[in-house]
């Protein structure tokens, strides 16, 4: 299995995402923003970081990179895409997912081990979890507060498209404590916290994050 | 040479933590004038010569696609005299 | 403004020049004239004045710092020593590690966010310049009193700046310090440490070799950042009218630096540079003169080729600009195309601005006119050297001993523990550290609040490094010689407590004005103490930084030598953490406790300084380090004792995972006697611990067992929930 | 009720990484109108009734101390009609 990991200028967690992909048993294929070649990968991870410095809006400039036009087209046809943190922001800027992220409610960068509850286990990236499962993975960002208008929020909730919610105190002011959502088809998933930093006990809060990557492998094998 | 201004503000229904932080800091410093505060962005774009209608149309397009995110923000394009 | 050229300088020997405004002394100006056999041009004057400043030339500290060379222990690990951008040590398996601390104190007082941000940016470029990939940062910080209004301006800005820059570079922040004392009001200390890793073969040096090789400037465009005083040249003396307004503040662009890192590493991987230097203090003046002076020939620079952000900059200002995120490389002409291709890939501006020349002069032209013609060594290395007057300060004669109550039981003890652990110096620092990314790069084995930061270097072999920074400024105030030794020992102990073996030392010496003989005495004693201790422990000093003039009026900061120690651990999976994770463990105190309250946190809380620092016992500490390394496999948890003494160590170990302990303690709970560590072991390992104690001749004492929801000391019951609240609410209350 | 606007921009000689990021993104998207771009902040402050001179003086003071950083920024206070 070949899973692509995209590097934009300013991407930071690409190396870690690639390590997580390999830990799950797939081959990580580096994809560079400036080319539209998906190199025959079967899924793509948009990792965290500060693409283009995130100076304008997080993900706003990355969304127009050549690689994104290929990813957007593929995603519309059911190709699996996981956006983590900055990657999630790129997905909302690309309108593959609803909503947008704004500054954390206390205005600070937050780095903490965050408990989450997994709600939707029907997506390509979460099918290895059980519904209601609680996991802990790192949350680290400055602009992580998920926002959208009331109608959109109602739609996302009604359609069961929240994949993960923060447990305990709302860390950043996200509406309905939303930590991650999926599109209707379940192939595109965006998540603010970082599963790729929870794949071994030695360097993270545990191994809960690995299931996102093994889930997509399961999906691809089953195809 | 002229300056075109693009102002981008969060839509009124979207939470504005930065504006709120300013609103609550003001009274702590003894400033009591504000009923509410919202914080947005301001772009100063320098263009060659007098801006043409075609150019302004382009700026509007850029404001809509790049400079603002229509999901949460609104924008306004002005020419500075 | 007329261009002041070499030929004009030759024909107008008596032109008035603003050397005094640029901070030069009369004899220094005379020396420049005698070196050049004429008056300097305004560009030359600018270069000499900045390069001969205290910050760049180390003119007050040089005579002392040379002890680090003279007393250097023989070390096979040292690959590159003091003098390069950063020292490099061998950690085995073909890996080399480079690390260094730098200060950015004064700029961070003026503009906390940008000052701290560019401080991080600068030290990261130093590490990158050695050919290494930066892998982690740390930030020892000092502030005025926590509840002072200016601290509320300075601290949040500095913390946001450290985080804003480091997070955006993708560098995990794995440790630091946050300490408050009123002498830092107006003089906050922002020290930043960076560590990088490379293969031995990748080490790069700052030299310009090979006539005809090209000088390439790459990275950000040059603007008017940080030229402050030099604009005197561009305005008052040579221009007609008003002074040019140039910002002394440098603004950082971490995204530009992130791209510069990736671009440079790709350039290094293809072996495309002969020599390389980052642009930091004194900008191009420093980079060109240092590269040329370390090389075999001279250098020609065509200054008009420097890409400018602000086209109105004068040549003097271009030479002085401290615009961030720039590098200067020496490359062979045949490799230019490959070099440019990589720069283009990363969208990094790169421009050939000169060549390595025959001869031994650094010549700079501006649109064909010769404006600088100097022997580069005289700019970069032959600056003035001062033997400043030294005098033992008078305050040392009027110190009185620390008489403070030290409760040992009951409600009194409980109240004391809550008071100590909620004081700003001892309180939970996660308000600060949660603003820093500690996970990025996926190799952070230990980060705050552990005793040292630890990074995995090789995921196959599990080789790793540990780093700790420490300073105890109050001990340094009471006895700078012992204070420096004790800071080194604490740092080494922190390393060994986590299971790594100390290997090399860096430092950042923060002091008041060198023109005050008392401060100079503190400084010289500090250097002497550090050099002596390094020699005895066999640890090389690989580099460091001196920051003087940290004072307001006649009040200097406490002498603050921040010592960084790097250690190596063969298998990071065996590291020891500080927190107690399970009930039923035996808790032991290793080391002996005396009545060391002078300079302690507890005395400080009572407004008492005391009169004497403990004496550093290097031989005992070396044995303790060996004990810790030998016993690594039986320690379920281990924590170094320092500020706050035994009681603070117990509180920190139990709070970490909310597992309590029931203890009987007969020694002074608040004493800060150095050379002590708390360890938790399984009851069945007690015998082994006793054997270690005998082998290394170090006292151990069993204090009690772990478990429960309370920290119980003698008969004082302190619920961890209550302690945790006291410990953690201080920072949010102060800083929001 | 009236709206007072405070515009805060970096001083011209100060590096503006945000504006630069926009300036270099625009041509990549085919927008060629901009010679240069600078990005700043915009505060919308709602006040009760018509702003008085005393109130505007207060706003100016707040703009100088809280809303802008005079070391690197300049500000402008306007009343929106
Ligand atoms: N500014 C900072 N940045 C990162 N880590 C910090 C900072 N300040 C404190 N820490 C971390 O918090 C922990 C406790 O700090 P401190 O009480 O100074 O430790 P100790 O006294 O044991 O050296 C350490 O892990 C230290 O690295
Ligand atoms: Mg310490």
């Amino acid at each position: 299995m070949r899973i692509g990991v995209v590097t934009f200028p300013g991407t930071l967690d690409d190396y870690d995402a690639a390590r997580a992909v390999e830990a799950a048993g797939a081959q990580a294929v580096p994809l560079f923003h400036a080319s539209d070649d998906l190199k025959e990968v079967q899924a793509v991870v948009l990792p965290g970081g500060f693409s283009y410095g995130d100076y304008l809006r997080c993900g706003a400039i990355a969304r127009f990179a050549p690689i994104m036009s290929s990813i957007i087209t593929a995603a519309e046809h059911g190709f699996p895409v996981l956006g983590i943190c900055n990657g999630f922001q790129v997905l909302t800027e690309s309108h593959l997912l609803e909503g947008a992220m704004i500054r954390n409610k206390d205005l600070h960068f937050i780095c903490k081990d965050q408990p989450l509850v997994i709600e939707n286990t029907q997506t390509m990236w979460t099918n290895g979890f059980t519904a209601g499962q609680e996991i802990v993975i790192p949350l680290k960002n400055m602009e992580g507060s998920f926002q959208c208008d009331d109608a959109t929020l109602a739609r996302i909730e009604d359609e069961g498209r929240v994949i993960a919610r923060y447990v305990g105190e709302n860390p950043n002011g996200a509406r309905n404590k939303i930590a991650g959502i999926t599109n209707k088809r379940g192939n595109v998933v965006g998540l603010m916290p970082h599963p790729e930093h929870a794949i071994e006990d030695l360097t993270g809060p545990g191994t809960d994050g690995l299931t996102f990557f093994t889930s997509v492998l399961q999906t691809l094998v089953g195809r | 040479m002229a300056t075109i201004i693009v102002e981008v503000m969060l839509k009124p229904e979207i939470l504005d933590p930065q504006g709120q932080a300013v609103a609550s800091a003001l009274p702590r410093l003894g400033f009591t004038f504000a009923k509410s505060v919202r914080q947005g962005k301001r772009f100063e774009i320098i263009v060659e010569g007098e801006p043409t209608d075609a150019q302004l149309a382009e700026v509007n397009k850029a404001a809509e696609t790049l400079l603002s995110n229509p999901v949460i923000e609104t924008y306004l394009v002005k020419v500075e005299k | 403004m007329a261009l002041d050229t070499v030929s004009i300088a030759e024909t107008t020997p008596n032109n008035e020049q603003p050397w005094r405004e640029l901070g030069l002394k009369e004899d220094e100006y005379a020396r420049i004239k005698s070196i050049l056999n004429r008056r300097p041009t305004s560009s030359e004057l600018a270069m000499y004045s900045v390069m001969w400043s205290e910050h760049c030339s180390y003119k007050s500290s040089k005579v002392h710092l040379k002890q680090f060379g003279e007393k250097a222990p023989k070390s096979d690990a040292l690959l590159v020593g003091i003098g390069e951008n950063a020292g490099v040590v061998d950690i085995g398996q073909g890996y080399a590690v480079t690390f260094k601390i730098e200060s950015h104190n004064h700029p961070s007082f003026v503009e906390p966010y940008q000052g701290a941000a560019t401080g991080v940016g600068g030290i990261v470029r130093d590490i990158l310049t050695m050919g290494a990939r930066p892998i982690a940062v740390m930030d020892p910080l000092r502030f005025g009193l926590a509840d002072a209004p200016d601290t509320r301006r300075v601290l949040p800005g500095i913390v946001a700046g450290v985080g804003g820059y480091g997070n955006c570079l993708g560098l995990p922040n794995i440790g630091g310090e946050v300490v408050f004392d009123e002498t830092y009001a107006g003089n906050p200390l922002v020290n930043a440490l960076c560590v990088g890793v490379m293969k031995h073969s990748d080490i790069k040096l700052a030299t310009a070799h090979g006539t005809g090789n090209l000088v390439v400037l790459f990275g950000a465009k040059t603007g008017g950042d940080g030229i402050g005083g030099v604009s005197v040249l561009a305005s008052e003396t040579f221009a007609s009218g008003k002074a040019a307004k140039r910002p002394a503040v440098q603004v950082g662009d971490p995204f530009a630096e992130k791209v510069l890192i990736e671009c440079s590493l790709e350039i290094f991987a293809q072996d495309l540079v002969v020599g390389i230097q980052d642009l930091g203090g004194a900008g191009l003046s420093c980079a060109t003169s240092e590269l040329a002076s370390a090389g075999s020939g001279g250098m020609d620079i065509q200054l008009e080729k420097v890409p400018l952000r602000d086209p109105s900059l004068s040549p003097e200002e271009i030479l002085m600009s401290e615009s961030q995120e720039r590098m200067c490389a020496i490359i062979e002409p045949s490799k230019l195309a490959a070099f440019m291709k990589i720069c283009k890939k990363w969208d990094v501006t790169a421009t050939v601005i000169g060549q390595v020349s025959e001869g031994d002069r650094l010549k700079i032209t501006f649109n064909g006119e010769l404006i600088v013609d100097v022997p580069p060594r005289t700019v970069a290395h032959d600056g003035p050297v001062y033997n400043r007057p030294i005098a033992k300060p008078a305050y040392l004669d009027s110190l009185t001993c620390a008489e403070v109550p030290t409760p040992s039981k009951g409600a009194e003890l409980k109240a004391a523990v809550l008071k100590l652990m909620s004081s700003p110096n001892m309180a939970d620092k996660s308000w600060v550290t949660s603003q820093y990314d500690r996970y990025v790069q996926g190799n952070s084995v230990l980060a705050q609040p552990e005793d040292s930061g630890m990074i995995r270097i090789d995921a196959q072999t599990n080789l790793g490094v540990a780093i700790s920074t420490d300073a105890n400024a109050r001990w340094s105030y009471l006895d700078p010689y012992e204070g420096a030794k004790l800071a080194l020992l604490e740092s080494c102990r922190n390393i060994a407590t986590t299971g790594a073996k100390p290997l090399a030392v860096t430092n950042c010496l923060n002091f008041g004005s060198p023109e005050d003989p008392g401060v100079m005495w503190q400084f010289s004693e500090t250097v002497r103490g550090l050099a002596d201790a390094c020699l005895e422990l066999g640890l090389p000093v690989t580099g460091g930084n001196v920051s003087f003039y940290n004072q307001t009026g006649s009040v200097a900061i406490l002498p603050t030598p921040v010592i960084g120690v790097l250690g190596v651990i063969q298998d990071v999976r065996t590291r020891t953490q500080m927190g107690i994770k399970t009930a039923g463990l035996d808790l032991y105190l290793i080391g002996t406790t005396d009545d060391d309250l002078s300079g302690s946190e507890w005395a400080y809380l009572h407004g008492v300084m005391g009169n004497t620092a403990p004496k550093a016992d290097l031989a005992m500490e070396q044995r303790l380090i060996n004990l810790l390394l030998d016993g690594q496999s039986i320690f379920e948890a281990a924590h170094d004792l320092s500020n706050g003494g035994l009681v603070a160590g117990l509180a920190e170990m139990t709070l970490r995972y909310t597992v309590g302990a029931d203890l009987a303690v007969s020694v002074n709970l608040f004493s800060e006697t150095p050379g002590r560590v708390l360890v938790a072991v399984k009851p069945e390992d007690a015998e082994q611990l006793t054997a270690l104690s005998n082998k290394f001749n170090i006292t151990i004492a069993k204090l009690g067992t772990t478990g429960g929801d309370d920290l119980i000391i003698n008969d004082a019951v302190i619920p961890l929930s209550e302690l945790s609240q006291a410990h953690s609410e201080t920072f949010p209350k102060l800083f929001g």
Side-chain angles (χ1 to χ4, degrees), chain C residues 400-406 595 597-600 602-603 606-611:
Chain C
T400 54
C401 74
E403 281 184 35
V404 288
T406 52
D595 272 335
L597 286 165
S598 285
S600 70
W602 186 239
H606 290 80
V608 173
M609 179 59 96
N611 57 356

Side-chain angles (χ1 to χ4, degrees), chain C residues 138-141 173-179 425-426 429 432-433 436 447-452 468-470 490 494 639-640 642-643 652:
Chain C
M138 291 181 134
D139 61 329
L141 309 175
N173 184 309
I174 57 168
E177 297 165 74
V178 179
V179 180
N425 281 342
M426 297 306 300
K429 304 296 188 305
V432 172
T433 57
Y436 303 153
Q448 51 273 6
E450 298 291 341
D451 284 351
S452 53
S468 166
T469 68
D470 280 290
E490 182 182 343
N494 279 331
H639 189 30
D640 165 53
S642 58
N643 295 24
E652 287 162 358

Side-chain angles (χ1 to χ4, degrees), chain C residues 143-156 180-186 424 734-735:
Chain C
F143 302 98
L145 293 182
D147 54 4
D150 198 46
T151 303
R152 220 161 290 159
R153 169 187 75 97
V154 170
L155 184 143
F180 302 92
D181 184 273
E182 66 183 313
T183 61
Y184 303 114
L734 283 164
F735 303 109

Side-chain angles (χ1 to χ4, degrees), chain A residues 7-13 15-16 19 32-33 50-53 55 108-113 138 140 197 200-205, chain C residues 167-170 253-256 258-259 345-346 431 434-445 456 459 462 572-573 575 736:
Chain A
T7 300
F8 301 102
T11 294
L12 306 177
D13 300 295
Y15 184 79
D16 313 77
R19 178 164 26 209
F32 200 56
H33 71 105
F50 293 81
S51 53
Y52 297 90
Y55 290 137
H108 296 150
F109 186 96
I110 304 174
C111 177
K112 68 183 286 248
D113 298 342
K140 56 182 188 88
H197 285 299
E200 51 173 353
D201 288 318
L202 191 64
T203 56
Chain C
N167 294 343
C168 194
L169 290 187
D253 179 351
F255 169 64
K258 167 65 180 167
V259 175
K345 171 181 169 188
W346 289 101
W431 186 91
S434 67
Q435 297 187 45
Y436 303 153
D437 184 348
R438 62 181 177 276
Y439 285 115
V440 66
Q441 294 193 12
N443 289 311
S444 304
V445 175
R456 176 174 59 192
N462 286 301
V572 289
R573 292 170 302 178
R575 89 286 184 216

